[in-house]
Amino acid sequence: MPEIQPDESASTNLLIWLNHLKSSDAPQVYVIIDEYDNFANHLITAHQDFQYKKQTADDSFPKTYFKVLKAGRQTGALANIFITGILPITIDDLSSAYNIADFITLHPQLEGLLGFTENEVHHLLDQVYWDYDLDPTTRQSVNEVIKTQYNGYHFVNAESCDALYNFTMVMYFIREFCRLHTIPNNLIDLNLRTDLSWVQRITGSYPESTDEIVRQLAAENIIRYDNDALISQFNISDFFNPSFYLISFFYLGMLTRQDDFYLCLPNLSMKKIFIEYFNGLYQIDVSTRYTKIMERFIVSNHDIGELFAGYWHEYVSQLPEAIFAKVNENFYRTTFYEVCSRFCLSGLPSLLNARIHQAGAILRILGNLMKKLPVNDGLLSLNIIQTKNLHLIGVPRKSSHFRVRMYSKFLDMQIVSAKNTPK
């Protein structure tokens, strides 16, 4: 092997090494570059334009290094080069006419590499339950939590029924589950929150540009997007364009395709994170006003109706009047869940997303995850209330009376069945 020349640049040493590989008929080399855009993104979001231009000049390290890589690919010393980044900043800024690259992130045949499929998650859980000899009766509850918290991603084909799971969050959950042998109270990896600080870096200098985006996603959970923008790359002039924010949220895993026209929040974890941004935007106190109500619910009366009434008076009363014209059932369900999740009520995701056929699953989750609670004799369904009248406290629609009676009757049957089931 040729000796490294400490006084020469990295690109010069790389060129010497590649020439040696070619001349000695050595096996071809694969090059993997992770987060190629990291330093550039930091400079851009810190508005260090001078440093950015200096670091991407023609004689800069990135451009000379990529020039050598391109030459190595052309001579055959390199079999291939695989480059990953946080955001699709244009590689033209970092390289010297690096026009041999193919942007493959959103190739349809590779979509399955962007997350775990449901079969893969089930296989992982099968192994965990086998290796740790865990109680199989908890499996359905674990499945429900993982699906509501981490599933829902469609990166290429929004019509596909096979949504992907966020593998970073799934692996966090499995690690904690193996350690605790129970569902962790904190369902969002703290490292993921660190990664999502990119949102603050990107939007922090122009917070007024993000207000409408955060408000719409929190209230309606959908927002229009330009499909062409998802498959293009960006340069420094695009970074602080508000239309770029949605694209950055998409690549950071906060938004996913609902269809060819709208992006949406994929799961409860991301909804919770966006509601946290929403609460900060409107300076809504969620840390001190709810403690006594939650304590009474957990320790004493287990009254979900009273729990929601407390949320209504302590949380909803803080909302600005303009919000009520836009919010829907999804907003109340998500904000109610976000408040409750601060007190480790991890069983509420399925409760708040419940439909009639899921009543049995709700009772099992309440039993497994909130062991201090008895079987509940009532469940809250927000979709029986007129959204437009919620700020007036609201009344059930007449057309909903029959549905409410059938819902109540079905739950009564489920409760009797649960109480008669041997423990």
Side-chain angles (χ1 to χ4, degrees):
M1 293 295 292
E3 293 185 4
I4 297 297
Q5 305 296 321
D7 295 332
E8 296 291 341
S9 66
S11 56
T12 298
N13 279 289
L14 176 62
L15 180 60
I16 294 172
W17 183 62
L18 292 178
N19 288 338
H20 170 77
L21 292 179
K22 184 61 178 176
S23 62
S24 62
D25 293 325
Q28 289 181 305
V29 173
Y30 288 86
V31 174
I32 300 175
I33 303 175
D34 186 33
E35 295 188 9
Y36 75 96
D37 60 338
N38 190 284
F39 81 95
N41 291 338
H42 279 278
L43 292 176
I44 294 173
T45 55
H47 298 279
Q48 298 291 325
D49 294 356
F50 174 78
Q51 286 295 329
Y52 177 82
K53 292 178 180 178
K54 181 179 178 181
Q55 295 296 329
T56 57
D58 288 342
D59 60 346
S60 65
F61 166 76
K63 286 204 171 182
T64 56
Y65 204 80
F66 276 100
K67 183 178 180 179
V68 173
L69 290 176
K70 179 180 178 180
R73 186 72 174 89
Q74 291 171 334
T75 64
L78 297 180
N80 217 331
I81 304 167
F82 189 71
I83 306 172
T84 67
I86 298 174
L87 297 172
I89 183 172
T90 177
I91 204 167
D92 290 339
D93 283 352
L94 306 182
S95 64
S96 179
Y98 192 79
N99 55 1
I100 62 172
D102 181 18
F103 185 66
I104 66 172
T105 301
L106 301 180
H107 279 198
Q109 62 269 37
L110 300 179
E111 183 175 16
L113 299 179
L114 302 179
F116 286 142
T117 65
E118 189 152 14
N119 285 338
E120 289 170 335
V121 170
H122 288 327
H123 177 71
L124 281 169
L125 290 175
D126 287 343
Q127 288 297 120
V128 167
Y129 271 80
W130 174 265
D131 291 343
Y132 289 84
D133 193 24
L134 299 175
D135 180 2
T137 63
T138 65
R139 178 63 181 271
Q140 185 166 352
S141 299
V142 170
N143 289 343
E144 295 253 358
V145 170
I146 290 181
K147 192 174 185 68
T148 57
Q149 292 289 335
Y150 311 136
N151 192 26
Y153 291 94
H154 294 279
F155 293 105
V156 180
N157 183 7
E159 303 301 322
S160 171
C161 60
D162 298 324
L164 295 173
Y165 289 74
N166 184 311
F167 45 68
T168 300
M169 292 196 287
V170 168
M171 293 309 297
Y172 159 78
F173 178 93
I174 288 179
R175 184 180 71 243
E176 293 299 297
F177 188 58
C178 291
R179 183 173 65 88
L180 302 171
H181 291 190
T182 188
I183 295 174
N185 287 330
N186 189 352
L187 296 172
I188 301 178
D189 187 0
L190 294 179
N191 291 324
L192 178 67
R193 292 185 179 276
T194 301
D195 292 341
L196 293 175
S197 65
W198 269 112
V199 176
Q200 296 170 321
R201 294 178 192 172
I202 294 169
T203 65
S205 299
Y206 304 100
E208 65 280 358
S209 300
T210 66
D211 289 2
E212 181 58 32
I213 293 174
V214 172
R215 183 164 55 246
Q216 181 171 346
L217 285 169
E220 302 178 33
N221 190 29
I222 57 170
I223 194 164
R224 286 187 178 275
Y225 76 102
D226 179 0
N227 187 56
D228 288 343
L230 287 185
I231 59 176
S232 62
Q233 299 181 44
F234 301 91
N235 56 41
I236 188 171
S237 63
D238 297 316
F239 230 85
F240 299 106
N241 187 324
S243 63
F244 173 80
Y245 296 168
L246 296 178
I247 310 306
S248 65
F249 293 160
F250 175 85
Y251 282 104
L252 288 167
M254 295 192 71
L255 295 178
T256 192
R257 295 179 194 258
Q258 176 168 290
D259 51 37
D260 291 336
F261 307 100
Y262 291 95
L263 298 176
C264 64
L265 297 164
N267 48 53
L268 275 175
S269 289
M270 289 306 163
K271 289 178 181 179
K272 174 178 169 59
I273 289 173
F274 249 86
I275 291 299
E276 289 175 357
Y277 279 105
F278 175 86
N279 291 339
L281 178 65
Y282 289 101
Q283 299 180 326
I284 298 175
D285 180 4
V286 291
S287 60
T288 62
R289 301 172 62 133
Y290 218 61
T291 305
K292 289 185 178 179
I293 298 169
M294 295 302 302
E295 180 183 14
R296 177 174 168 81
F297 173 75
I298 295 172
V299 177
S300 180
N301 65 1
H302 324 305
D303 188 332
I304 296 178
E306 183 178 317
L307 182 67
F308 183 80
Y311 148 84
W312 190 267
H313 289 292
E314 298 297 341
Y315 180 89
V316 178
S317 64
Q318 299 181 67
L319 296 174
E321 188 173 345
I323 291 295
F324 290 101
K326 297 184 177 182
V327 297
N328 55 20
E329 175 194 348
N330 169 77
F331 174 80
Y332 294 106
R333 182 189 295 115
T334 306
T335 52
F336 183 40
Y337 164 70
E338 198 281 328
V339 171
C340 292
S341 67
R342 292 171 175 268
F343 298 85
C344 305
L345 295 187
S346 53
L348 281 175
S350 293
L351 173 66
L352 300 180
N353 286 299
R355 293 297 183 264
I356 291 178
H357 67 278
Q358 294 175 305
I362 296 167
L363 295 175
R364 283 192 296 273
I365 287 178
L366 287 173
N368 290 330
L369 302 184
M370 294 184 269
K371 296 184 181 300
K372 294 182 179 179
L373 304 183
V375 174
N376 285 265
D377 59 1
L379 294 174
L380 176 68
S381 181
L382 297 179
N383 54 5
I384 66 171
I385 303 174
Q386 289 190 42
T387 302
K388 66 180 181 179
N389 291 331
L390 275 172
H391 64 295
L392 303 176
I393 301 304
V395 294
R397 296 191 296 264
K398 289 184 178 180
S399 60
S400 297
H401 290 177
F402 176 76
R403 179 179 172 214
V404 173
R405 289 197 300 271
M406 295 303 295
Y407 191 85
S408 176
K409 182 178 179 180
F410 185 85
L411 290 176
D412 286 343
M413 294 169 59
Q414 292 292 319
I415 292 167
V416 171
S417 174
K419 288 182 176 179
N420 292 336
T421 299
K423 304 301 180 184

